[in-house]
């Protein structure tokens, strides 16, 4: 067995930091969604880029698949060992390397979680803004090109990384980008590795852009008669240049799940959750102007949360959305769809999806990032029912089809992994084969997270 | 001759849109900087992506180099026909294809200039914000990853493109990205082609993000006792989250060139030029807070330009910087350096560069984008003096060296072209060879703008 030979060498290199224990393999074979477990043959815990390079060289010699692991919170099976091999868990590479407060950037190892990073940054007055909900690792967030509730203001992971250190499939360690705020020096390798899901190399360090903690923050929630009014309200706000820090929507079904999960008492209507950041004066002005636009579009009176604890409760509610929805059907697992369309088509995309779900035996509450045109239907199913899985896939296929017809994408922020491979040819046409060309060029043996994102054979 | 055979076929395909006239070849063999002319063997004027694809297929069959041409305003010899071949001039592909005002995006052909685009957008209340000074073509701006005075607020070309249509080296036409505001669907090919300087393919269409025209704009200029105070003032403003739309600096030597060129009467000191965009209230607040920070750092009273014509005159002055400086030495040509460093190192980088220039027989006024850490010394020289060219190269080498020591880049916005090739190995290390891997994978014959950006042999 070539994999077995690799593991023998890895044990010699790493000692106890290479494990084949059943429990470790099982933990690294699970995801948060409906996939059956796919454990790796071994799990390694490197402590440096040099060690990662040695690991990759050993695996390359033995044609052994390498799967990167952050916190295991991805939603498309990215970190499952589809073809066995070795999972590289970055739990021990979780440090802040250097904070540059004047330049508003920070170098971190990939295993640090976003909450741990922001905790460490607290005293500097700076923060890292990308917030996908889950307390994911920064390396994982980079690899899936994650985004989330703050994207409308601060952008996605692609917009918030100045440079990377990456270990390639042949063990070479490279650096991309620089600490300068911009560069025109050659191909943009940083953006190539961000969102590559570990299929082109392993990220071992990241230089991230930081933001100043705003002087004032105000958040609120209000109900709308229908999706279309809510979306039109947001489009008008964006066009007027009023900078929202977050603008989220939940449909009536999600509102009911929130009520049950968090003891709320919201009307069974679509809601918008919004946040403004800035100076006291700016936040006041923005909230007032937004309030006027809301009223014009038939929105209810705003319930503002200006106290920190109320605001945290509001966003905790949003972030618990997936779990609140799952809790609404006992024992259910879920498929989380992730389409993203031009905002002008968002209301139509949501309404059509709701119709599909209403006509289906499955439930699928909808929530999403209205400022980005990105939403998720959480399709719940019995984990032991092949029929329900089939029906969920049918609904997801229809959503994907619709997103592409509307000029959008089948995944706004979750990534391709295994789950969205089937849509890639349709979304990209010939460009998908260009991705395969690049993959073959940088990983000719196909050992880096094989079977995810790109098809090379 | 293989190139001659290609041209014969191109004439059959394109008729008069393929020309080998002396004047056409000469025009396409010149740049705005010190390089000797390098004319192509022919110039073609395609009208569609399909025609570009046919042109590329013909050139590929005959191993004929292909050089893309927008307006010829690039500063590193990107569009010169170093190895002869065919220049593809996009002058006839200069249309707006579709404006989507609700989604704030626009599809354009690559030959449209940024001013023509903004003229066409005027009635929509939207504008395209990237402003490199020159009235460059959008395709050229994308290909060099251009930025300029508005980058501190709106980002570079890399931040303002949703998707591309590209003709590859084998004639395949692909589409990258989508009209959605974000996507995690596979490798980020858009960012790979942006800044690739035509070495991986020819951009035949771009989908650009647009911005709403601000309700209020205020711009102004003030003097500082030294570079360090000016830079510290800007760093503090950024850290406080006060959003500047532009923040530029010029040194004392540039100020004197402005006085002579535009009949101004500014003190021989470093100056900051700033602009704020937003609601009336926001612009007033931002200007006031910035004024306070300026005073704390020893800046002079601000001269505000709130009337449109005064503001335009101010930015025209800045945009004419290169020409104003060139006019200060009769008959001179110039080398425009372009380093970009972390802002915390900017004052030091400028001061050290000024010392080098003071010790040199050449003049080199300095101006730049302080919010990005990017500046240019315009090194003037006699076009017929090999000694002066050598001295300019020595000064530029020292600047490049310093930028890399400071964690920066040798080119913030001009690109690599021919002029910065020599620094690439030093800036990128092994990562430069990864760029070559990608180049070989997508252009195995090395026909796409050969001899620029990347070394494949």
């Amino acid at each position: 067995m070539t994999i077995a030979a690799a593991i023998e060498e890895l044990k010699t290199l790493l000692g106890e930091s290479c494990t084949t224990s059943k429990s470790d393999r099982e933990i690294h074979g699970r995801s948060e969604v409906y996939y059956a477990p796919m454990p790796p043959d071994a799990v390694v815990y490197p402590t440096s880029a040099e060690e990662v390079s040695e690991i990759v060289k050993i695996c390359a010699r033995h044609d052994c698949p390498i799967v990167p692991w952050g916190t295991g919170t991805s939603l498309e099976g990215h970190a499952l060992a589809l073809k066995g091999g070795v999972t590289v868990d970055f739990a021990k590479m979780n440090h802040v390397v250097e904070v540059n407060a004047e330049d508003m950037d920070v170098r971190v190892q990939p295993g640090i979680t976003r909450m741990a990073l922001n905790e460490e940054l607290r005293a500097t007055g700076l923060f890292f803004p990308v917030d996908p909900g889950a307390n994911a690792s920064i390396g994982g967030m980079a690899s899936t090109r994650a985004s989330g509730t703050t994207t409308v203001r601060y952008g996605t992971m692609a917009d918030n990384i100045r440079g990377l250190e990456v270990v390639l499939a042949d063990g070479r360690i490279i650096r991309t980008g620089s600490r300068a705020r911009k560069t025109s020096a050659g191909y943009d390798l940083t953006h190539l590795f961000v969102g590559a899901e570990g299929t082109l190399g392993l990220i071992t360090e990241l230089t991230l852009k930081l933001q100043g903690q705003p002087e004032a923050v105000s958040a609120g929630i209000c109900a709308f008669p229908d999706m279309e009014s809510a979306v039109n309200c947001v489009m008008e706000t964006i066009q007027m240049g009023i900078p929202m820090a977050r603008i989220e929507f939940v449909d009536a079904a999600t509102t009911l799940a929130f009520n049950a999960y968090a003891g709320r008492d919201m009307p069974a209507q679509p809601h918008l959750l919004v946040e403004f950041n800035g100076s006291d004066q700016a936040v006041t002005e923005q909230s007032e102007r937004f309030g006027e636009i809301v009223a014009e579009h038939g929105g209810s009176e705003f319930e503002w949360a200006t106290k920190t604890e109320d605001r945290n409760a509001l966003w905790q509610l949003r972030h618990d959305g997936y779990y609140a929805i799952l809790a609404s059907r006992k024992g259910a697992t879920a498929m989380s769809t992730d389409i993203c369309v031009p905002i002008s088509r968002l209301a139509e995309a949501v309404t059509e999806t709701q119709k599909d779900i209403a006509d289906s035996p499955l439930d699928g509450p909808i929530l999403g990032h209205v400022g980005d045109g990105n939403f998720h239907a959480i399709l719940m199913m019995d984990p032991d029912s092949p029929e329900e899985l089939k029906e969920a896939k049918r609904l997801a296929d229809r959503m994907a089809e619709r997103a592409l017809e509307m000029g959008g994408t089948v995944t706004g922020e979750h990534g391709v992994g295994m789950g969205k491979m089937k849509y890639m040819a349709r979304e990209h046409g010939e460009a998908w084969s260009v991705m395969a060309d690049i993959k073959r060029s940088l990983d000719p043996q196909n050992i880096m997270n094989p079977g995810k994102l790109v098809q090379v054979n």
Side-chain angles (χ1 to χ4, degrees), chain A residues 50-358:
Chain A
E50 290 67 30
E51 220 166 63
V52 173
S53 168
E54 290 307 315
I55 291 165
V56 170
K57 283 178 191 166
I58 289 170
C59 290
R61 275 202 296 278
H62 297 284
D63 267 329
C64 172
I66 299 166
V67 183
W69 184 277
T71 58
T73 48
S74 79
L75 298 172
E76 293 293 352
H78 299 87
L80 298 182
L82 179 62
K83 301 184 187 250
V86 172
T87 291
V88 180
D89 186 325
F90 286 98
K92 290 184 183 175
M93 290 178 69
N94 65 345
H95 301 296
V96 169
V97 180
E98 185 185 25
V99 182
N100 292 288
E102 281 189 313
D103 294 309
M104 300 173 71
D105 63 38
V106 63
R107 281 167 56 208
V108 301
Q109 293 184 307
I112 194 169
T113 65
R114 63 173 185 87
M115 287 182 188
L117 171 60
N118 278 325
E119 192 55 41
E120 289 214 37
L121 290 172
R122 191 186 293 247
T124 64
L126 301 169
F127 75 107
F128 183 68
V130 183
D131 178 357
N135 188 22
S137 70
I138 296 293
M141 285 165 63
S143 290
T144 54
R145 205 180 294 127
S147 48
T149 53
T150 58
T151 303
V152 66
R153 170 73 171 263
Y154 299 106
T156 73
M157 285 302 285
D159 303 311
N160 285 284
I161 298 179
R162 291 206 206 288
L164 299 172
E165 181 187 68
V166 180
V167 175
L168 300 177
D170 58 6
R172 277 184 297 171
I173 303 173
I174 63 166
R175 286 193 166 273
T176 73
S178 80
R179 280 194 52 237
R181 289 188 167 227
K182 65 185 190 186
T183 170
S184 286
Y187 303 153
D188 187 343
L189 298 182
T190 303
H191 277 102
L192 184 62
F193 289 104
V194 170
E197 305 183 0
T199 62
L200 298 177
L202 296 175
I203 296 171
T204 49
E205 193 182 286
L206 308 95
T207 302
L208 308 173
K209 299 182 200 173
L210 299 176
Q211 301 290 330
Q213 281 166 11
E215 186 182 306
V217 178
S218 180
I221 184 167
C222 73
F224 280 82
D226 51 51
M227 264 308 296
E228 207 174 348
S229 330
V231 171
N232 286 339
C233 166
V234 172
M235 276 201 293
E236 193 176 324
T237 309
I238 293 174
Q239 279 161 16
M240 292 186 67
I242 302 173
M244 296 169 284
R246 309 187 199 235
I247 180 74
E248 298 284 304
F249 77 90
V250 295
D251 72 353
T254 302
T255 306
L256 293 176
F258 280 170
N259 285 346
Y261 189 78
R264 292 251 171 174
D265 184 27
M266 299 191 282
Q269 281 175 258
H271 283 72
L272 284 183
L273 292 76
V274 69
E275 183 175 291
F276 295 100
N277 292 350
S279 68
D280 280 318
Q281 195 175 328
V283 165
T284 304
E285 188 200 358
Q286 288 157 14
S287 308
E288 281 170 11
R289 295 181 71 182
F290 183 66
E292 288 161 19
I293 300 170
V294 166
E296 279 164 28
H297 290 277
S300 71
E301 194 67 25
F302 242 88
E303 189 184 318
W304 290 105
T306 38
K307 278 192 290 185
T308 308
E309 58 266 35
D310 294 345
R311 210 169 58 234
N312 289 348
L314 184 69
W315 294 119
Q316 193 56 50
L317 185 71
R318 168 62 187 86
H319 283 331
D320 287 343
Y322 183 68
Y323 304 107
I325 290 166
L326 263 189
S328 72
R329 176 172 166 184
K330 205 173 165 183
T333 186
M335 180 183 297
S336 173
T337 61
D338 179 39
I339 69 173
C340 188
V341 297
I343 304 187
S344 64
R345 309 297 298 274
L346 179 61
E348 188 187 345
V350 171
T351 309
E352 293 290 313
T353 302
Q354 283 173 326
K355 271 187 212 156
D356 280 354
I357 293 170

Side-chain angles (χ1 to χ4, degrees), chain A residues 34-36 38 76 334-337 339 356-357 360-363 377-381 385-401 418-420 422-423:
Chain A
Y34 64 94
Y35 295 103
M38 301 178 199
E76 293 293 352
M335 180 183 297
S336 173
T337 61
I339 69 173
D356 280 354
I357 293 170
S360 157
L362 298 188
D363 286 329
I378 312 296
L379 302 169
M380 282 176 289
M381 52 194 166
S385 163
E387 293 75 27
E388 290 200 2
L389 177 59
K390 195 175 158 200
E391 172 65 4
K393 287 184 172 173
R394 187 188 68 83
L395 289 169
D397 286 350
R398 281 181 63 87
M399 288 177 70
E401 198 70 22
M418 302 188 288
K420 299 267 190 302
K422 60 183 166 182
Y423 306 125

